[in-house]
Amino acid sequence: MNLLLSVEGVRVNYRTERGEITAVRNVSFYVDKGDILGIVGESGSGKSTLAYSVLNYIKPPGKIISGSVKLEGVGDLLKLGKEDVRKVLWKEIAIVPQATQNSMNPTMDVKDHFIDTMAAHGQNDKQKILETANRLLEEVKLDPQIVLSAYPHQLSGGMKQRVLIALSLVFEPKLLILDEPTSALDVVNQRLIMDLLKALHQKMGISIIFITHDIQLIKGFANKVLILYAGKAMELGDVNEVWNTPLNPYTIALLKSIPTLHGDVNSVSGIPGSMPDPYAEITGCPFASRCKFAKPVCFEKDPDFLEYKPGHFSACHFSKDIGDNYG
Amino acid sequence: MDELQEVGIQAKTSLLYFDNVSVHFEIKGMDKPLIAVDGVSFSMNDGELAALVGESGSGKSTLGRVVVGLQKPTSGKALFRGKDIYKLKGKAFLEYRRSVQLVHQDPYAALNPALTIYESLAPALRRWNIVDKKDTRKAVSSMLEFVGLRPENYIDKYPNQLSGGERQRICVARALSVRPKLVVADEPVTMIDVSLRLSIVDLLLNSKKQFGTSYIFITHDMALARYFLLKGGGGKLMVMENGKLVEMGDVEEVINNPKHEYTKKLIESVTE
Amino acid sequence: MKYGYILRRIAILVATLYTVITITFILVRLSPYDPYAYFLSQEASMGIASPSQLAALAEYYYNLIPNQPIYIQYFQYLISVMEGNFGHSLIYPQMTVANIIATRLPWTLYIVITSTVISFFIGTYAGQRLGYKRGGKVDGSIVTFFTVLHSIPIYGMGLILLFFISLKAGLLPSAGAYSANVAPGPNLPFIISVIRHSILPISTFIFGSVGGWTLGMRANTISVLGEDYVNAAELRGIPTSRIASRYVGRNAILPQFTSLVISIGFAFGGAVFVEQIFTYPGIGQMLVTSVGDGDYPVIMGITIIIIAAVLISVLVADLTYQFLDPRVRK
Amino acid sequence: MNSQDKGVEKKSGQKSQNPSSFTVFWRNKYARIGLIITVGFFVMGFIGPLVYPAPKIDLTEIFAPPSLAHPLGTDYLGRDTLGDIIYGTGYILEVTFIAALIGTGIGVAIGIASGYFRGAVGSLLMAITDIVLTIPGMILILVVASVVRSGNPLIVAGVLSVTAWAGFARAIRSQILSLRSSIFVEEARLLNLSSFHIIFKELMPNVMSYTAINFIFSVQGALFASVGLYFLGVLPFSAYNWGVMLSEATSFGGFLAPSLAVYLISPIAVITLFTVGLIYLSFGIDEVFNPRTRRR
């Protein structure tokens, strides 16, 4: 089997003073070996929460209500105890968190970060650790001589991001999750990181989940894409297929809101309205109020996430019609 | 004034006239100054649109700051209606100060977190006597309406109760409230959700249509710059690299027939 | 370490000391209350008529010669203070102020340093534990307990301990630094007596300051627990115990060291009350006695020395901090 | 985790009503207790003397235990302890609040001036602040008080403020320094709003919560210090004074009297209660002013 990770019906709620809000609504997706899956969503879409629930790492007031996350060779991560999850973290799945500017201990140098991380999983041979660190830092185009003894505040944002990517590879995990790895960086560093990741993926064959708000970053990088809206999975499929023949009105509207270099400027436009109030009870489809295809049924019944073409899923009552018209 | 004679008639009639403007930053511990803007020349007329495109670090934000009066150039001439921006005094300075405004990239930092939307918008109206004191609230309301926000839902809110897109609309309203002639929009939608970006760009273009506001639209995104200019009825695209303007011309012309290597590179890097 | 930073700290120390010396001079000589003029008139009224005798007395006690222009008096005073000459006590004319300070300062240092160290460690430990248990029922009542403890003024704490432990229960001595019936020196009975006499003053200090340390460390711990690098470490699978010590503990303690600097000044202020309550022969008690007696040469000398001691401890703490936090090191 | 719930948080409360500041304040349990205690002390200080009889010397009732006539017993002259406390409250409130006003006022003024106006004036103000900051306050207060020797509330408050402002001025300065280079201040400059507007309308609201909390802690500091000075006998004796009560508890042979415990503990207890009230009050103020909590 080629299947590496399968996520079924994950639901995450947050308890706030004003009541419960649902951050992730019964999301399902899967990752094959060697995949680069892009998870795309705007602010409030629950994309980070989804990534952390894959690691069974949701802190109160958040709570995983239901679902399963099965990793090949490990089983359902959501059923594991805290200590068992700890052993899986970084060895099997590594995550580079979003706020990398502050993701390193300010009182530890880079070398200590490598030593601590590898010692946590039983690797105590300092010589070996340093060898690994040297090799990986070179891999991400950093000079180990300088970087290993540097403290986080002495590194630029782009350098910190690369250190963390190097750190995430120490055990060559099966799956690497990157949460908005470029959003805090300028364009130059963004491109550098993307090229780096592409090279690492080719060289190590590592599977990647790439979370971003910028759908344009996905094109030409990922092979599969999952599109989230208000905590709900709207569409999942091969990147080119989703791009060329989207099955979901939200995807269509999202792609239409991106200007191009040669097309007619009047054929693109933003999506009117805004994300639904997280505190409001949503009946029906969360996108219905902004959707130009919306019919009465959309406000009454939440559409299921169904496979319309092989490997191409969508959550919309009219995906079939859309598919017929577009295709 | 001999300054005017030197630069000729175009300088006098232009809204904005930059001649060989450079900005150098002295950095401690470095022997050479950092050249942020390097000999830039261009001009803008009333009601004209321009887009300034380049990667981060190309100096486009610094150039924008020279235009709005926040960064004195090291050398060169930066003229507003024929007069040196950094030598303006008295009434002429006030006229300039009101005529040129900035919309900043980060709508989270551009609003005072301790003030309500009304408290953020009203002082400028009062400062410039744009409306009578008793009409201030009404005027703020109509500005909110102009930027597509229902006044009763927003006027007494604090910024932290609003989303990024809503905040940026407020910032646009504030910049437009003093009825400027020229607005420098520095990456105004970079921090906004993709699906909301174009509606904010359209908002800027609305004010061009209604009041004839000129814009310098700064962005790293070539396709977005094109959208802005074409949707607004055309304008010039300026491409900046390492502090220099490497290419400038009508937007369609530059995109379809780029002359400079760097422009070609930028165009190629756009995924479609 | 930053060279300029050390120089700046030392410059501030010198400037502060100079300011304090000047303030004491102004208070004694230029304020509307002018105790020095009062002293001269008292001496004159007691029959010492000869101006030269009066001048000799004035110099003996105050380091100031009357009838000189004020700026000459000021420079004389500055120079003698820098020479370590603080004049003589008005109450014990045979004692130099420097002498009095030398016999009393060690007792104060002993009490202040011991209690600050103990209180710092207890509070820091308890605060970290509480930080981890934040939000729970236990946390709430313990925080209330420490808030109340923190709200008792140090003299209130001292009086309560003196009254209940010493006077009512008779468990520990109520006054002095050691019993009259032991011979001072490196012998066991003396050491035991010194310790017994210091337990209550030291406890007063600890009870008075441990609440602040605990609440401070609790707040630091909670804020560090919310930092991204703690989450990032958890995500790397680093064991909880290691995170608690190297990630949370280390970073939460750093601000405590900054507070240590401020607390040193507070501790010397507190010594005034604690030594007065337990009639402990330290410099604070001497200061209060001198204030009561109007013994201005002693007041001036003690003030300058206490503040110098505080300044030096602050400098040491400050420079130590430079080694602990890599962010300020380079 | 920060990044996790950012999206959820950003929009929360969007359609909520703005609860009034007092509602937010009153919802906090600690704030409620703190406010009740503080108001209680004001009532005791200013209304108490109107309804409670003034303590009178009664040599037949020396160190009487608590009773109906004397709820907290009596002192070495047979005066009612509760009366002593009540009649002493007004003076304490006066001294501590004036001291906090002076200290906070100087602190805000110097902090803002040295943060906003850079250059020679700012540097000089900061150098002075740094010097005052390292002087241990209590010692200097003691020495100044010993020379001044006045019980006038204004003068005592002035003495207590000698060093109290410095730490606060420094904190305000660093906040102003970061605020003045913030983008929203730059925007105000672009709209040509005056320095007056920027200082009082843009910057001040951002340091208000810190100022209010500092005011409360200054009241507490002045409370400890002023009572302490009277306890040490540095300030002149006066009737109805908590510090004098403490001082008298230790002298006049009172330590041997069996009912001394109540007499000794009473002033300590009111000081502690007042301080707890102030600390709790500060929790509530933090909640009202802090934009992160205000949203909820």
Side-chain angles (χ1 to χ4, degrees), chain A residues 188 257 281:
Chain A
V188 182
S257 64
E281 179 98 14

Side-chain angles (χ1 to χ4, degrees), chain D:
Chain D
M1 149 149 248
N2 253 348
S3 49
Q4 259 178 12
D5 45 23
K6 201 197 276 167
V8 181
E9 276 192 3
K10 204 180 286 172
K11 301 204 103 190
S12 61
Q14 203 169 31
K15 297 210 171 75
S16 70
Q17 296 301 310
N18 255 340
S20 79
S21 299
F22 188 76
T23 315
V24 176
F25 181 87
W26 195 248
R27 265 201 306 235
N28 184 312
K29 180 180 79 187
Y30 292 113
R32 228 158 39 219
I33 299 173
L35 189 68
I36 291 170
I37 292 175
T38 312
V39 170
F41 271 93
F42 272 91
V43 171
M44 182 159 95
F46 296 110
I47 301 176
L50 304 177
V51 294
Y52 197 85
K56 277 199 281 291
I57 294 176
D58 179 357
L59 296 178
T60 62
E61 289 265 22
I62 292 174
F63 288 128
S67 66
L68 225 60
H70 304 292
L72 294 175
T74 61
D75 71 358
Y76 71 104
L77 290 175
R79 287 175 302 199
D80 181 60
T81 305
L82 182 60
D84 271 343
I85 300 248
I86 291 175
Y87 279 74
T89 309
Y91 177 81
I92 286 292
L93 290 174
E94 238 178 294
V95 167
T96 54
F97 276 82
I98 294 174
L101 219 55
I102 298 175
T104 307
I106 297 176
V108 171
I110 291 190
I112 289 184
S114 63
Y116 190 79
F117 302 105
R118 284 185 294 194
V121 179
S123 308
L124 181 70
L125 287 175
M126 221 49 245
I128 294 171
T129 310
D130 274 348
I131 288 172
V132 176
L133 198 59
T134 38
I135 297 176
M138 196 56 224
I139 301 293
L140 197 64
I141 288 171
L142 183 62
V143 172
V144 175
S146 75
V147 176
V148 175
R149 290 191 193 274
S150 162
N152 179 314
L154 254 174
I155 293 177
V156 174
V159 171
L160 295 179
S161 318
V162 166
T163 61
W165 56 271
F168 179 54
R170 203 187 174 139
I172 288 284
R173 175 177 184 263
S174 67
Q175 291 197 13
I176 294 290
L177 272 182
S178 78
L179 286 171
R180 81 185 292 278
S181 57
S182 68
I183 290 162
F184 64 79
V185 169
E186 187 178 292
E187 303 257 317
R189 292 227 173 84
L190 285 180
L191 294 164
N192 204 35
L193 301 174
S194 59
S195 280
F196 180 88
H197 171 90
I198 292 174
I199 291 175
F200 289 96
K201 297 283 170 62
E202 304 274 348
L203 301 181
M204 286 281 263
N206 282 288
V207 296
M208 267 315 287
S209 72
Y210 194 74
T211 305
I213 287 170
N214 178 77
F215 180 84
I216 288 179
F217 285 129
S218 303
V219 171
Q220 189 238 322
L223 171 71
F224 278 21
S226 64
V227 174
L229 288 178
Y230 278 102
F231 165 66
L232 292 177
V234 176
L235 294 179
F237 172 90
S238 70
Y240 313 139
N241 183 297
W242 299 353
V244 173
M245 287 174 74
L246 282 178
S247 164
E248 286 176 347
T250 56
S251 41
F252 299 108
F255 259 138
L256 304 172
S259 62
L260 181 81
V262 183
Y263 180 68
L264 175 70
I265 288 173
S266 297
I268 298 174
V270 283
I271 296 168
T272 305
L273 182 66
F274 192 16
T275 305
V276 170
L278 290 169
I279 292 177
Y280 281 1
L281 195 61
S282 75
F283 291 172
I285 288 177
D286 187 46
E287 176 134 344
V288 171
F289 281 104
N290 193 335
R292 271 179 308 154
T293 44
R294 179 170 48 199
R295 154 182 43 206
R296 295 197 193 120

Side-chain angles (χ1 to χ4, degrees), chain C residues 1 22 56 88-89 118 132 187 199 215 241 253 262 283 305 326:
Chain C
M1 194 190 287
T22 307
H88 285 75
S89 163
I118 296 176
Y132 268 97
N187 59 71
I199 289 177
L215 296 174
S241 58
I253 271 184
I262 301 165
I283 202 169
I305 288 300

Side-chain angles (χ1 to χ4, degrees), chain A residues 57 86 102 105 116-117 121, chain C residues 227 231 234 236-237 242 251:
Chain A
Y57 186 83
R86 184 186 78 74
N102 199 16
N105 187 342
D116 244 23
T117 306
H121 298 282
Chain C
E227 291 284 355
N231 290 307
E234 285 178 5
R236 289 205 298 278
R242 176 75 182 157
N251 289 294

Side-chain angles (χ1 to χ4, degrees), chain B residues 15-26:
Chain B
L15 176 68
L16 198 67
Y17 184 91
F18 270 44
D19 182 33
N20 208 14
V21 168
S22 296
V23 179
H24 297 184
F25 291 115
E26 299 289 341

